[in-house]
Amino acid sequence: MTAALIDGKAHAATLVERVAAAVPAFAAARGRVPGLAVVVVGDNPASAVYVRNKLARTATAGMRSIEHRLPATVSEAGLLALVATLNADDAVDGILVQLPLPPHIDDAKVLVAIAPDKDVDGFHPVNAGRLATGLPGLVPCTPTGCLMLLKDTVGDLSGAEAIVIGRSNIVGKPMAALLTAASATVTLAHSRTRDLAGHVARADIVVAAVGVPELVRGAWLKPGAVVIDVGMNRIAHTDGTTKLVGDVAFAEARAVAAAITPVPGGVGPMTIACLLRNTLVAAHLRAGLPPVVGL
Ligand code: GUN
């Protein structure tokens, strides 16, 4: 079997189009387009690339983005003051503080300072609690994108055996909550899991979000499984060149799975598209407008 490729780029482009199509109605109702504030502290090169992509995509969707760059030396109090200003600004629907932050700033303190109804990352404990208890709220972008790819590929997830590898607050835990809400039977595996290969062998759906290059081997997979690879690991070759690989040994997995996301071009583009979606969702919730159908 050669697995079908799940084209995250194409799915993301369709989602951005849907978001863009809904912006004029919001603008007509509110007299402004949805606004996303992106806060970057310091000059981490990887963050610069992510943020540039986020800002460019926001413009593609017809929304306004506001970039706030702070020096790496900014104090925690200084960053919290900016977050408070953005919380109070009615033209800002979404606030994203790019991680990682410099070591002298406590990430958790900053994330809880963001107003939950503007928390387009879905990282605030209030939104994590809403997800865990089945209440409407803002859900982290990467697992939202993974779930969309899975539903498009598999259809009904009810009763499916799913394994999520990695228990981060950003991907693994919310992914497990979303799959549970979709009525899958979920195993949440992590670095202390015994016999990971044995757990993977039972899964119809594998979501790898652990940050270990090519950890999941093709021979572990159940034939016909659907594989979502969230990993983005840059590995160095001996000749000095580098290559981006996922958490799944792609060529091996492709020979066993029914469908798989490539790295790059799989989950990555969906994360940014879901950020735009979340910004529109936040704008509608804040304005008391009904949710956009089909998002
Ligand atoms: N750094 C890398 N990815 C992300 C993300 O999705 N959100 C935030 N806030 N920071 C990140």
Side-chain angles (χ1 to χ4, degrees):
M1 175 181 300
T2 301
L5 284 184
I6 301 172
D7 186 347
K9 255 190 190 171
H11 278 90
T14 305
L15 180 55
V16 173
E17 271 169 30
R18 281 202 221 121
V19 171
V23 167
F26 178 87
R30 302 296 296 167
R32 64 173 182 84
V33 297
L36 171 68
V38 177
V39 180
V40 191
V41 181
D43 48 14
N44 177 322
S47 292
V49 174
Y50 283 132
V51 168
R52 205 177 320 125
N53 285 338
K54 284 170 185 170
L55 296 172
R57 282 305 208 167
T58 312
T60 309
M63 303 196 291
R64 189 169 80 100
S65 59
I66 315 107
E67 187 183 6
H68 294 268
R69 287 193 168 274
L70 299 175
T73 51
V74 70
S75 66
E76 188 176 271
L79 177 55
L80 290 171
L82 173 59
V83 169
T85 305
L86 296 172
N87 282 344
D89 183 344
D90 196 45
V92 171
D93 298 292
I95 302 170
L96 181 145
V97 178
Q98 185 70 19
L99 302 175
L101 292 168
H104 67 277
I105 298 178
D106 181 350
D107 292 10
K109 234 186 198 174
V110 175
L111 296 180
V112 298
I114 295 170
D117 65 346
K118 296 189 178 188
D119 169 36
V120 282
D121 263 327
F123 294 165
H124 194 291
V126 164
N127 282 318
R130 286 173 178 158
L131 174 61
T133 54
L135 293 170
L138 293 164
V139 179
C141 301
T142 299
T144 301
C146 292
L147 188 75
M148 287 176 178
L149 294 178
L150 280 170
K151 284 193 168 163
D152 273 335
T153 307
V154 179
D156 184 12
L157 303 179
S158 176
E161 285 284 342
I163 185 164
V164 179
I165 309 170
R167 54 176 156 179
S168 71
N169 291 336
I170 295 177
V171 186
K173 281 188 236 168
M175 186 78 246
L178 285 171
L179 286 165
T180 304
S183 300
T185 302
V186 182
T187 300
L188 181 52
H190 46 75
S191 56
R192 302 287 180 92
T193 296
R194 272 182 260 144
D195 188 19
L196 181 59
H199 286 287
V200 170
R202 285 192 295 279
D204 306 304
I205 291 165
V206 178
V207 181
V210 71
V212 178
E214 300 177 328
L215 172 74
V216 178
R217 311 310 308 186
W220 296 5
L221 296 169
K222 178 173 172 177
V226 174
V227 179
I228 304 289
D229 191 349
V230 183
M232 294 258 250
N233 310 291
R234 191 159 285 285
I235 56 166
H237 292 300
T238 43
D239 65 1
T241 58
T242 65
K243 185 183 166 199
L244 200 60
V245 300
D247 292 348
V248 179
F250 180 79
E252 290 175 18
R254 209 170 171 202
V256 184
I260 186 167
T261 55
V263 176
V267 174
M270 285 302 284
T271 296
I272 294 187
C274 286
L275 174 66
L276 306 184
R277 169 197 180 269
N278 275 0
T279 304
L280 185 70
V281 168
H284 274 244
L285 283 172
R286 293 184 61 245
L289 295 170
V292 179
V293 177
L295 284 186

